Amino acid sequence: MTVHHNPSQLPASENSLNELTLLYQFSNTMLSTIRLNKLTHLILTALTTSSSNLFERAFLFLRNEKSEVLQGMLGVTRRTAEGLQIVGSQEALGSRWEISEDVISLQRSTEFCAKVRATRIDINDSCPLIRRVIADRTLCHTNFTICHECGTCFFVRHLCSDTFAAVPLVARDSAIGIIVVDNPESGQEITQENLRFLQLFANQAGMAVLNSMLYNRIEDAHINLRDARERLLHGERLAAIGEVAANLAHELKNPIITIGGFAARLLKGLSEESKEHQYAGTIVKEVGRLEKMLADILAFSSKPTICFSVCDLGEILRDCLESCATTVEDHGIRLNVDNSRGSWSILGDAHQLKQVFLNLILNACDAMSDGGRLTISVSSASPENNSVIVSIEDTGGGIAQEMLSKIFNPFFTTKSTGTGLGLAIVNRIVLNHFGTIRADNTELGALFSVMLPLVEAEQIQN
Ligand SMILES: Nc1ncnc2c1ncn2[C@@H]1O[C@H](COP(=O)(O)OP(=O)(O)OP(=O)(O)O)[C@@H](O)[C@H]1O
Ligand SMILES: [Mg+2]
């Protein structure tokens, strides 16, 4: 079914019927379309399609209340407005419009639409015309000469043809956006009848657009709520796993120490050339690994006790480097340390902070099993922020993008011999010291940055 609305060619009664049918179809469409994107396409297509014969172009701006800016959302021309289908009841008054995804994409892809979407109108700086449409919520029909004389509005010069009309989208007593229409191809005057029609359209469209925006907001809130629930469940699951792991670790610790002790005694009594010596050596090594794993699990699951005292970060780092010097050397890693500037006093538990940097350095060594460069540097965070940043950067290839958000989760590991507790412990210690840690990828590897608050001078004296 096609509805023609051309007042100049039709008798008055037929014209009124067509007008009424269009309005009914429009109203039915508004009531049955909830997606904002589709709704805006339907509104502008209805205004520009040749079957309604109203305008040749229509463009829509929505208002951002916080920034008081009108943001260009969509522009439709008659050339791309031919895909309006009429669906629903056979009766004209019960039918509504539909638009396909193909037409939506076609409308989005035009140069005109891109130009509209790239336009932002600052309401407070804009021309009196726009201010009037928004503040007085009235339709304005004007020509370019008037606007050109005023000269304040870039958008008019940039987008509109000589004569155009702008109508507010009103909802709950406020203008939530504007629709602008014009006839650039034919240069035809905009008739009073079409303007009346535009006003009626806009009145309905405003409420529909607001409803759709509210629906989108509810949907976003729903998604956020679902994510939060999943995170909560994930947290609960992790806590349950942690408890089981802690109980297991506790039960396994004593027998493992016993096995390790006996294996070490056997090792001493066996000739170094014998196969048995080799076997006992493997037992001692593996038991050592198990002990470390159990110690990590217990450290992670027990309530942390922190002995705060003023400590020197430089000293802690030097201590760490001494402890892992052989590992660094064995991996053929070149070390680059830059913490010579300044003295870095922090309030913390030196033993736990050492654990932080040891874990990060050992991870970096693991990532550079065939050698590389390890750079450790200390710097001030920012003049306003009395904190220090320790950066540990390697050239081991970095961390896969999809894993970056998981590496601080307990038991997350990509290593066959890892427990995946290293970074979880590191994260917890840093947080307990009121600091933050972040992981990034660089061109050649991973960069871990630990930010810790520095001690104020008065705190040192006390
Ligand atoms: N410097 C790094 N380069 C590349 N990947 C890294 C680096 N540091 C951490 N990772 C990734 O993060 C994962 C988790 O690290 P985490 O230290 O928590 O556990 P782990 O090293 O696997 O085991 P462990 O508990 O023995 O430390 C690692 O398995 C690894 O995939
Ligand atoms: Mg580790």
Side-chain angles (χ1 to χ4, degrees):
M1 185 199 315
T2 310
V3 178
H4 288 285
H5 173 75
N6 194 341
S8 55
Q9 293 162 10
L10 296 169
S13 58
E14 203 175 321
N15 193 27
S16 303
L17 181 67
N18 275 338
E19 210 172 75
L20 205 63
T21 309
L22 263 178
L23 279 174
Y24 259 100
Q25 283 173 336
F26 187 62
S27 163
N28 293 340
T29 308
M30 297 293 101
L31 288 173
S32 56
T33 312
I34 199 68
R35 298 261 160 224
L36 185 61
N37 187 32
K38 191 173 187 182
L39 190 68
T40 54
H41 281 269
L42 279 165
I43 293 170
L44 297 196
T45 311
L47 289 171
T48 47
T49 182
S50 56
S51 57
S52 65
N53 198 23
L54 290 163
F55 311 101
E56 288 170 8
R57 290 196 314 186
F59 29 123
L60 172 86
F61 292 82
L62 286 181
R63 178 181 184 175
N64 182 328
E65 278 188 17
K66 272 195 207 128
S67 55
E68 278 299 78
V69 158
L70 287 168
Q71 172 65 53
M73 302 301 288
L74 181 65
V76 173
T77 61
R78 184 158 292 176
R79 198 174 51 77
T80 58
E82 295 312 328
L84 209 57
Q85 302 142 14
I86 299 179
V87 297
S89 152
Q90 288 300 309
E91 300 225 345
L93 299 190
S95 59
R96 63 181 169 83
W97 296 313
E98 254 305 338
I99 195 166
S100 71
E101 284 303 321
D102 287 349
V103 177
I104 288 181
S105 326
L106 176 72
Q107 292 179 342
R108 290 247 141 191
S109 65
T110 64
E111 207 177 304
F112 172 61
C113 184
K115 220 164 149 186
V116 173
R117 287 177 65 79
T119 307
R120 284 159 63 89
I121 309 170
D122 188 329
I123 295 172
N124 298 319
D125 281 354
S126 71
C127 65
L129 171 108
I130 294 296
R131 281 208 298 274
R132 228 180 98 198
V133 176
I134 293 290
D136 302 346
R137 305 194 293 273
T138 51
L139 184 150
C140 283
H141 177 207
T142 187
N143 65 47
F144 185 67
T145 332
I146 300 170
C147 284
H148 192 65
E149 276 167 17
C150 157
T152 45
C153 197
F154 167 72
F155 117 90
V156 174
R157 276 175 283 136
H158 183 59
L159 285 174
C160 304
S161 43
D162 286 359
T163 305
F164 65 92
V167 66
L169 284 176
V170 179
R172 290 217 211 121
D173 290 336
S174 146
I176 59 164
I178 60 167
I179 293 178
V180 181
V181 291
D182 61 5
N183 296 324
E185 297 272 321
S186 62
Q188 219 172 38
E189 269 296 307
I190 297 174
T191 65
Q192 282 305 313
E193 215 151 2
N194 285 356
L195 285 180
R196 191 168 58 89
F197 213 84
L198 178 65
Q199 181 78 69
L200 290 172
F201 254 57
N203 287 349
Q204 289 200 38
M207 213 43 224
V209 168
L210 182 70
N211 280 344
S212 178
M213 279 157 62
L214 292 176
Y215 177 82
N216 274 4
R217 244 182 259 166
I218 291 174
E219 207 172 47
D220 283 352
H222 177 73
I223 291 170
N224 286 344
L225 210 65
R226 200 186 54 202
D227 288 352
R229 191 171 153 264
E230 264 167 26
R231 276 201 303 275
L232 208 69
L233 280 177
H234 183 63
E236 275 176 15
R237 267 201 305 272
L238 285 178
I241 294 172
E243 205 179 313
V244 172
N247 287 339
L248 253 172
H250 191 77
E251 291 304 309
L252 289 174
K253 207 171 136 213
N254 288 340
I256 280 178
I257 288 174
T258 314
I259 295 169
F262 281 125
R265 272 203 222 170
L266 280 176
L267 200 64
K268 272 191 203 149
L270 290 167
S271 139
E272 282 190 21
E273 278 79 46
S274 68
K275 273 231 170 302
E276 286 74 14
H277 184 275
Q278 194 188 332
Y279 297 152
T282 308
I283 296 174
V284 169
K285 200 171 103 228
E286 290 299 306
V287 163
R289 205 167 64 76
L290 283 176
E291 273 181 34
K292 185 216 166 249
M293 205 183 270
L294 295 180
D296 276 353
I297 292 174
L298 287 171
F300 184 73
S301 50
S302 62
K303 263 207 156 68
T305 43
I306 309 172
C307 306
F308 280 106
S309 64
V310 176
C311 26
D312 178 5
L313 194 59
E315 206 173 300
I316 294 173
L317 285 172
R318 277 190 294 279
D319 223 8
C320 284
L321 287 170
E322 223 171 86
S323 305
C324 48
T326 42
T327 316
V328 171
E329 218 175 280
D330 290 350
H331 285 73
I333 294 167
R334 276 171 294 134
L335 195 60
N336 192 358
V337 184
D338 174 21
N339 64 338
S340 48
R341 279 168 289 134
S343 122
W344 315 97
S345 298
I346 50 180
L347 196 60
D349 186 318
H351 174 71
Q352 292 196 15
L353 288 171
K354 187 176 163 187
Q355 241 186 309
V356 167
F357 301 115
L358 258 183
N359 266 301
L360 296 177
I361 293 170
L362 291 178
N363 276 350
C365 291
D366 286 345
M368 298 187 286
S369 48
D370 297 328
R373 196 180 61 243
L374 176 66
T375 309
I376 301 175
S377 57
V378 191
S379 58
S380 285
S382 69
E384 325 67 77
N385 185 344
N386 192 29
S387 301
V388 66
I389 297 177
V390 182
S391 310
I392 297 178
E393 185 178 350
D394 62 60
T395 55
I399 302 157
Q401 202 59 33
E402 67 276 10
M403 286 180 193
L404 264 178
S405 61
K406 298 184 187 147
I407 56 171
F408 293 102
N409 286 350
F411 304 109
F412 176 84
T413 182
T414 52
K415 301 170 193 168
S416 54
T417 56
T419 46
L421 281 174
L423 287 180
I425 293 172
V426 164
N427 189 34
R428 186 199 280 180
I429 297 174
V430 172
L431 289 179
N432 285 340
H433 282 76
F434 310 103
T436 54
I437 180 164
R438 56 174 295 161
D440 294 286
N441 278 318
T442 61
E443 208 180 315
L444 296 175
L447 166 66
F448 282 83
S449 314
V450 180
M451 183 155 89
L452 291 164
L454 284 168
V455 186
E456 305 284 343
E458 324 66 273
Q459 282 176 285
I460 301 180
Q461 279 150 21
N462 296 337

